[in-house]
Short mmCIF file of all heavy atoms in Angstrom, two decimals:
data_model
loop_
_atom_site.label_atom_id
_atom_site.label_comp_id
_atom_site.label_asym_id
_atom_site.label_seq_id
_atom_site.Cartn_x
_atom_site.Cartn_y
_atom_site.Cartn_z
N SER A 221 -48.95 63.41 30.16
CA SER A 221 -49.85 62.44 30.78
C SER A 221 -49.90 62.66 32.27
O SER A 221 -49.00 63.32 32.84
CB SER A 221 -49.39 61.00 30.45
OG SER A 221 -48.09 60.83 30.92
N CYS A 222 -50.87 62.08 32.87
CA CYS A 222 -51.10 62.22 34.31
C CYS A 222 -51.80 60.98 34.82
O CYS A 222 -52.74 60.44 34.09
CB CYS A 222 -51.96 63.51 34.59
SG CYS A 222 -52.36 63.79 36.30
N TYR A 223 -51.45 60.51 35.97
CA TYR A 223 -52.14 59.33 36.57
C TYR A 223 -53.54 59.82 36.93
O TYR A 223 -53.75 60.92 37.47
CB TYR A 223 -51.41 58.78 37.74
CG TYR A 223 -50.14 58.12 37.27
CD1 TYR A 223 -48.91 58.69 37.47
CD2 TYR A 223 -50.21 56.93 36.52
CE1 TYR A 223 -47.73 58.11 36.96
CE2 TYR A 223 -49.05 56.35 35.99
CZ TYR A 223 -47.81 56.93 36.24
OH TYR A 223 -46.69 56.41 35.76
N ALA A 224 -54.53 58.97 36.70
CA ALA A 224 -55.93 59.31 36.84
C ALA A 224 -56.28 59.73 38.22
O ALA A 224 -57.21 60.51 38.48
CB ALA A 224 -56.80 58.17 36.32
N ASP A 225 -55.58 59.15 39.24
CA ASP A 225 -55.92 59.50 40.61
C ASP A 225 -54.95 60.55 41.24
O ASP A 225 -54.97 60.82 42.41
CB ASP A 225 -55.99 58.26 41.51
CG ASP A 225 -54.85 57.29 41.26
OD1 ASP A 225 -54.04 57.48 40.35
OD2 ASP A 225 -54.74 56.31 42.02
N ASN A 226 -54.15 61.18 40.41
CA ASN A 226 -53.29 62.27 40.85
C ASN A 226 -54.17 63.50 41.03
O ASN A 226 -54.92 63.89 40.14
CB ASN A 226 -52.21 62.57 39.76
CG ASN A 226 -51.26 63.68 40.14
OD1 ASN A 226 -51.53 64.49 41.00
ND2 ASN A 226 -50.16 63.70 39.40
N PRO A 227 -54.10 64.15 42.21
CA PRO A 227 -54.95 65.33 42.48
C PRO A 227 -54.72 66.45 41.43
O PRO A 227 -55.63 67.24 41.17
CB PRO A 227 -54.53 65.80 43.84
CG PRO A 227 -53.94 64.56 44.52
CD PRO A 227 -53.36 63.77 43.40
N ALA A 228 -53.58 66.48 40.78
CA ALA A 228 -53.28 67.51 39.78
C ALA A 228 -54.12 67.38 38.53
O ALA A 228 -54.26 68.36 37.75
CB ALA A 228 -51.81 67.49 39.40
N ILE A 229 -54.75 66.24 38.35
CA ILE A 229 -55.53 65.99 37.09
C ILE A 229 -56.70 66.99 37.00
O ILE A 229 -57.03 67.40 35.89
CB ILE A 229 -55.99 64.54 36.99
CG1 ILE A 229 -56.35 64.24 35.51
CG2 ILE A 229 -57.18 64.27 37.89
CD1 ILE A 229 -56.47 62.77 35.24
N ARG A 230 -57.24 67.43 38.10
CA ARG A 230 -58.35 68.35 38.03
C ARG A 230 -57.89 69.70 37.41
O ARG A 230 -58.58 70.25 36.55
CB ARG A 230 -58.83 68.63 39.48
CG ARG A 230 -60.01 69.60 39.53
CD ARG A 230 -60.59 69.65 40.93
NE ARG A 230 -61.56 70.70 41.02
CZ ARG A 230 -61.50 71.69 41.84
NH1 ARG A 230 -60.56 71.74 42.78
NH2 ARG A 230 -62.40 72.61 41.85
N GLY A 231 -56.70 70.14 37.77
CA GLY A 231 -56.13 71.36 37.17
C GLY A 231 -55.85 71.20 35.70
O GLY A 231 -56.06 72.10 34.90
N TYR A 232 -55.32 70.00 35.31
CA TYR A 232 -55.06 69.76 33.87
C TYR A 232 -56.33 69.76 33.05
O TYR A 232 -56.39 70.28 31.94
CB TYR A 232 -54.32 68.43 33.73
CG TYR A 232 -52.94 68.37 34.35
CD1 TYR A 232 -52.47 67.20 34.89
CD2 TYR A 232 -52.18 69.52 34.50
CE1 TYR A 232 -51.21 67.15 35.45
CE2 TYR A 232 -50.93 69.47 35.09
CZ TYR A 232 -50.46 68.27 35.57
OH TYR A 232 -49.21 68.22 36.18
N ARG A 233 -57.38 69.16 33.63
CA ARG A 233 -58.67 69.09 32.89
C ARG A 233 -59.24 70.52 32.75
O ARG A 233 -59.77 70.87 31.71
CB ARG A 233 -59.61 68.21 33.58
CG ARG A 233 -59.27 66.72 33.35
CD ARG A 233 -60.26 65.78 33.98
NE ARG A 233 -60.01 64.43 33.48
CZ ARG A 233 -60.11 63.31 34.19
NH1 ARG A 233 -60.36 63.36 35.45
NH2 ARG A 233 -59.88 62.16 33.62
N ASN A 234 -59.17 71.31 33.80
CA ASN A 234 -59.61 72.71 33.71
C ASN A 234 -58.80 73.48 32.67
O ASN A 234 -59.33 74.23 31.90
CB ASN A 234 -59.55 73.38 35.08
CG ASN A 234 -60.60 72.94 36.04
OD1 ASN A 234 -61.61 72.39 35.60
ND2 ASN A 234 -60.33 73.07 37.29
N PHE A 235 -57.48 73.26 32.66
CA PHE A 235 -56.61 73.96 31.73
C PHE A 235 -56.96 73.63 30.28
O PHE A 235 -57.06 74.53 29.46
CB PHE A 235 -55.14 73.63 32.02
CG PHE A 235 -54.15 74.44 31.24
CD1 PHE A 235 -53.87 75.72 31.66
CD2 PHE A 235 -53.65 74.01 30.05
CE1 PHE A 235 -52.97 76.54 30.99
CE2 PHE A 235 -52.76 74.81 29.33
CZ PHE A 235 -52.43 76.08 29.80
N ILE A 236 -57.13 72.37 29.95
CA ILE A 236 -57.45 72.07 28.56
C ILE A 236 -58.83 72.50 28.16
O ILE A 236 -59.04 72.89 27.02
CB ILE A 236 -57.24 70.54 28.25
CG1 ILE A 236 -58.19 69.67 29.06
CG2 ILE A 236 -55.81 70.11 28.45
CD1 ILE A 236 -58.37 68.26 28.54
N ARG A 237 -59.74 72.52 29.10
CA ARG A 237 -61.09 73.01 28.81
C ARG A 237 -61.02 74.51 28.41
O ARG A 237 -61.69 74.96 27.51
CB ARG A 237 -62.04 72.76 29.98
CG ARG A 237 -63.47 73.00 29.74
CD ARG A 237 -64.39 72.56 30.85
NE ARG A 237 -63.89 72.47 32.22
CZ ARG A 237 -63.53 71.32 32.80
NH1 ARG A 237 -63.62 70.21 32.21
NH2 ARG A 237 -63.10 71.38 34.05
N ARG A 238 -60.20 75.27 29.16
CA ARG A 238 -60.12 76.71 28.90
C ARG A 238 -59.22 77.06 27.71
O ARG A 238 -59.38 78.10 27.12
CB ARG A 238 -59.51 77.40 30.15
CG ARG A 238 -60.58 77.76 31.17
CD ARG A 238 -59.96 78.53 32.28
NE ARG A 238 -59.69 77.53 33.36
CZ ARG A 238 -58.64 77.50 34.14
NH1 ARG A 238 -57.69 78.42 34.03
NH2 ARG A 238 -58.52 76.58 35.03
N HIS A 239 -58.29 76.18 27.34
CA HIS A 239 -57.35 76.49 26.30
C HIS A 239 -57.38 75.61 25.07
O HIS A 239 -56.39 75.55 24.33
CB HIS A 239 -55.94 76.46 26.91
CG HIS A 239 -55.77 77.51 27.97
ND1 HIS A 239 -55.70 78.82 27.70
CD2 HIS A 239 -55.72 77.43 29.31
CE1 HIS A 239 -55.58 79.53 28.87
NE2 HIS A 239 -55.59 78.68 29.84
N GLY A 240 -58.48 74.95 24.85
CA GLY A 240 -58.70 74.26 23.58
C GLY A 240 -58.03 72.90 23.44
O GLY A 240 -57.93 72.38 22.36
N GLY A 241 -57.61 72.31 24.54
CA GLY A 241 -56.98 70.98 24.46
C GLY A 241 -57.95 69.87 24.61
O GLY A 241 -59.23 70.11 24.60
N ARG A 242 -57.47 68.68 24.72
CA ARG A 242 -58.36 67.52 24.88
C ARG A 242 -57.68 66.40 25.52
O ARG A 242 -56.43 66.31 25.55
CB ARG A 242 -58.90 67.10 23.52
CG ARG A 242 -57.88 66.45 22.63
CD ARG A 242 -58.51 66.16 21.28
NE ARG A 242 -57.51 65.41 20.46
CZ ARG A 242 -57.64 64.18 20.07
NH1 ARG A 242 -58.73 63.47 20.37
NH2 ARG A 242 -56.70 63.59 19.35
N GLU A 243 -58.45 65.51 26.11
CA GLU A 243 -57.93 64.22 26.59
C GLU A 243 -57.88 63.34 25.36
O GLU A 243 -58.92 63.13 24.67
CB GLU A 243 -58.84 63.60 27.67
CG GLU A 243 -58.78 64.31 28.94
CD GLU A 243 -59.59 63.66 30.07
OE1 GLU A 243 -59.68 62.39 30.07
OE2 GLU A 243 -60.08 64.38 30.93
N CYS A 244 -56.76 62.76 25.04
CA CYS A 244 -56.65 61.99 23.80
C CYS A 244 -56.34 60.57 24.07
O CYS A 244 -56.16 59.78 23.10
CB CYS A 244 -55.59 62.61 22.92
SG CYS A 244 -53.99 62.82 23.62
N GLY A 245 -56.25 60.14 25.29
CA GLY A 245 -56.04 58.72 25.61
C GLY A 245 -56.23 58.38 27.02
O GLY A 245 -56.07 59.27 27.92
N TYR A 246 -56.71 57.21 27.30
CA TYR A 246 -56.85 56.71 28.63
C TYR A 246 -56.29 55.26 28.67
O TYR A 246 -56.73 54.43 27.92
CB TYR A 246 -58.35 56.69 29.05
CG TYR A 246 -58.57 56.51 30.50
CD1 TYR A 246 -58.75 57.56 31.35
CD2 TYR A 246 -58.53 55.24 31.09
CE1 TYR A 246 -58.95 57.39 32.71
CE2 TYR A 246 -58.70 55.04 32.47
CZ TYR A 246 -58.93 56.15 33.26
OH TYR A 246 -59.10 56.00 34.57
N TYR A 247 -55.27 55.09 29.48
CA TYR A 247 -54.61 53.78 29.55
C TYR A 247 -54.90 53.19 30.91
O TYR A 247 -54.51 53.72 31.95
CB TYR A 247 -53.10 53.99 29.41
CG TYR A 247 -52.78 54.68 28.09
CD1 TYR A 247 -52.55 56.05 28.02
CD2 TYR A 247 -52.72 53.93 26.90
CE1 TYR A 247 -52.28 56.67 26.83
CE2 TYR A 247 -52.42 54.59 25.68
CZ TYR A 247 -52.21 55.94 25.70
OH TYR A 247 -51.97 56.58 24.48
N ARG A 248 -55.58 51.99 30.87
CA ARG A 248 -55.93 51.38 32.11
C ARG A 248 -54.78 50.54 32.68
O ARG A 248 -54.00 49.94 31.91
CB ARG A 248 -57.13 50.48 31.88
CG ARG A 248 -58.34 51.27 31.45
CD ARG A 248 -59.60 50.49 31.18
NE ARG A 248 -59.36 49.43 30.21
CZ ARG A 248 -60.00 48.31 30.15
NH1 ARG A 248 -60.93 48.03 30.99
NH2 ARG A 248 -59.70 47.43 29.23
N GLN A 249 -54.66 50.54 34.03
CA GLN A 249 -53.62 49.78 34.73
C GLN A 249 -52.28 49.97 34.06
O GLN A 249 -51.55 49.05 33.75
CB GLN A 249 -54.02 48.32 34.78
CG GLN A 249 -55.28 48.13 35.55
CD GLN A 249 -55.71 46.69 35.69
OE1 GLN A 249 -54.96 45.76 35.28
NE2 GLN A 249 -56.85 46.42 36.25
N TYR A 250 -51.88 51.23 33.84
CA TYR A 250 -50.71 51.58 33.08
C TYR A 250 -49.38 51.37 33.83
O TYR A 250 -48.41 50.98 33.20
CB TYR A 250 -50.83 53.06 32.67
CG TYR A 250 -49.71 53.54 31.81
CD1 TYR A 250 -49.64 53.20 30.46
CD2 TYR A 250 -48.72 54.39 32.36
CE1 TYR A 250 -48.63 53.65 29.66
CE2 TYR A 250 -47.73 54.86 31.49
CZ TYR A 250 -47.68 54.46 30.16
OH TYR A 250 -46.67 54.91 29.37
N ALA A 251 -49.37 51.67 35.09
CA ALA A 251 -48.13 51.55 35.86
C ALA A 251 -48.36 51.19 37.29
O ALA A 251 -49.32 51.62 37.89
CB ALA A 251 -47.34 52.85 35.77
#
């Protein structure tokens, strides 16, 4: 998991797009 406003999320999204992954959950106001 990654916090939605973490700058690293862009790299994670690119990685799953290239390697067959997916976003499987979005938790609002999680922490």
Side-chain angles (χ1 to χ4, degrees):
S221 61
C222 179
Y223 292 106
D225 45 354
N226 182 341
I229 200 166
R230 182 173 171 235
Y232 297 148
R233 286 181 167 142
N234 287 336
F235 188 82
I236 62 164
R237 191 172 24 259
R238 276 185 261 141
H239 297 287
R242 69 184 185 116
E243 288 186 33
C244 57
Y246 193 96
Y247 304 96
R248 298 180 303 152
Q249 299 180 6
Y250 183 76

